[in-house]
């Protein structure tokens, strides 16, 4: 569905230097989810747009379905580059560009209707992901699902632990793995053979994951301690 138009969007994005750090598999899985679950809401929130490579593809899907798109980044240059790309493609109508993190967005932007998906691809440190999860539950309407990038990515010192944040916040809720799969046989760095900057992928693992969001968040004690939150009353 929409494949020819998506290919055009990808072509212009590449020519404009507005690439996405996500893999083609991750991009296809995100778009496929939006199409498959389009009856569960209307709209997308993207946290971390970088140069707009994935944003533009999501923008096309949103235009086709008549949905709003809210996208944000903490870097003004990245946000402006993404906005320029969507204007170039004629996909900026109905898109809200926000400078700042998700907690700031929640305070200052009103999201009308129930988004199908919120994509969390900002800071991947444990406490930052927990903070984003808490922030999305402060939206007036909780999205149907949340997607997480760099789900199984690790680093010895910088603290990327997205999968642990998701586990500690959502417990045993089912996780839909998306994007590239890490089994130790592909081109992705492992703990035994990390990248030059020290990053590696947990095996078995996945580039991303999607969780269907419960109405209320039963956050675990470890996640609360990370943000120095008081214990939840039983």
């Amino acid at each position: 569905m929409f494949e020819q138009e998506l290919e055009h969007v990808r072509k212009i994005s590449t020519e404009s230097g507005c690439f996405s750090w996500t893999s083609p598999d991750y991009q296809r899985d995100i778009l496929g989810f939006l199409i498959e679950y389009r009856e569960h809401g209307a709209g997308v929130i993207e946290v971390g747009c970088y140069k707009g490579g994935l944003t533009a593809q999501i923008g096309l899907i949103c235009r086709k379905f008549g949905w709003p798109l809210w996208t944000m980044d903490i870097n003004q240059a990245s946000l402006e580059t993404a906005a320029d790309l969507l204007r170039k493609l004629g996909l900026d109508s109905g898109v809200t560009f926000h400078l700042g993190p998700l907690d700031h967005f929640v305070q200052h932007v009103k999201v009308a209707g129930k988004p199908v998906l919120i994509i969390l691809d900002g800071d991947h440190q444990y406490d930052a992901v927990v903070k984003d999860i808490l922030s999305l539950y402060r939206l007036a309407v909780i999205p149907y699902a949340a997607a997480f990038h760099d789900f199984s990515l690790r680093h010895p010192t910088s603290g990327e632990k997205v999968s642990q944040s998701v586990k500690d916040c959502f417990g045993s809720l089912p996780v839909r793995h998306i994007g590239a799969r890490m089994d130790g046989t592909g081109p992705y760095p492992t703990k035994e053979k990390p990248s030059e900057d020290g990053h590696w992928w947990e095996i078995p693992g996945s580039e991303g994951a999607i969780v269907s969001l419960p109405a209320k968040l039963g956050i675990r004690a470890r996640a609360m301690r990370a943000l120095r939150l008081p214990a939840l009353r039983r």
Side-chain angles (χ1 to χ4, degrees):
M1 188 183 290
F2 318 133
E3 192 55 39
Q4 280 191 326
E5 290 166 283
L6 284 168
E7 280 301 320
H8 173 72
V9 168
R10 293 172 189 135
K11 179 177 181 292
I12 299 300
S13 298
T14 300
E15 292 174 351
S16 303
C18 298
F19 57 89
S20 171
W21 281 108
T22 65
S23 72
D25 286 339
Y26 179 88
Q27 296 167 37
R28 283 191 291 268
D29 287 344
I30 288 288
L31 302 178
F33 184 89
L34 294 177
I35 293 170
E36 181 180 355
Y37 290 90
R38 60 188 180 275
E39 295 181 358
H40 289 272
V44 178
I45 301 172
E46 181 188 34
V47 181
C49 65
Y50 189 46
K51 295 183 177 182
L54 179 57
T55 313
Q57 297 176 62
I58 296 170
L60 176 64
I61 299 298
C62 288
R63 188 186 70 180
K64 290 292 184 181
F65 294 150
W67 292 350
L69 168 60
W70 300 269
T71 188
M72 69 199 76
D73 205 283
I74 61 171
N75 184 283
Q76 185 169 355
S78 293
L79 193 69
E80 290 174 354
T81 299
D84 287 342
L85 175 63
L86 266 69
R87 280 193 289 269
K88 185 175 185 178
L89 289 162
L91 297 173
D92 56 316
S93 178
V95 182
T96 298
F97 297 94
H98 181 81
L99 180 63
L102 181 58
D103 60 341
H104 185 270
F105 173 86
V106 170
Q107 293 177 33
H108 295 90
V109 180
K110 183 177 181 180
V111 174
K114 184 182 183 70
V116 176
L117 187 66
I118 181 169
I119 302 168
L120 299 179
D121 192 11
D123 189 336
H124 299 309
Q125 294 186 53
Y126 179 89
D127 56 349
V129 178
V130 172
K131 184 177 180 181
D132 278 348
I133 292 171
L134 291 172
S135 292
L136 77 85
Y137 273 89
R138 291 169 51 220
L139 291 164
V141 182
I142 307 303
Y144 173 72
F148 300 86
H149 189 236
D150 286 340
F151 188 67
S152 301
L153 188 65
R154 299 289 184 266
H155 191 276
T157 60
S158 60
E160 284 95 336
K161 291 185 178 179
V162 177
S163 61
Q164 190 63 55
S165 304
V166 171
K167 182 178 180 180
D168 287 347
C169 289
F170 296 109
S172 59
L173 280 180
V175 171
R176 174 172 174 161
H177 298 282
I178 62 173
R181 304 304 169 87
M182 315 305 172
D183 60 7
T185 63
Y188 296 95
T190 62
K191 189 174 184 179
E192 292 71 29
K193 295 182 179 180
S195 64
E196 291 185 3
D197 65 1
H199 282 94
W200 52 277
W201 292 91
E202 194 171 68
I203 299 171
S206 64
E207 180 184 4
I210 294 178
V211 176
S212 295
L213 296 172
K216 294 183 179 180
L217 184 62
I219 193 167
R220 290 189 176 187
R222 184 187 303 186
M224 289 188 290
R225 286 197 299 272
L227 294 180
R228 297 180 177 87
L229 298 173
L232 295 177
R233 295 181 179 178
R234 297 185 180 276

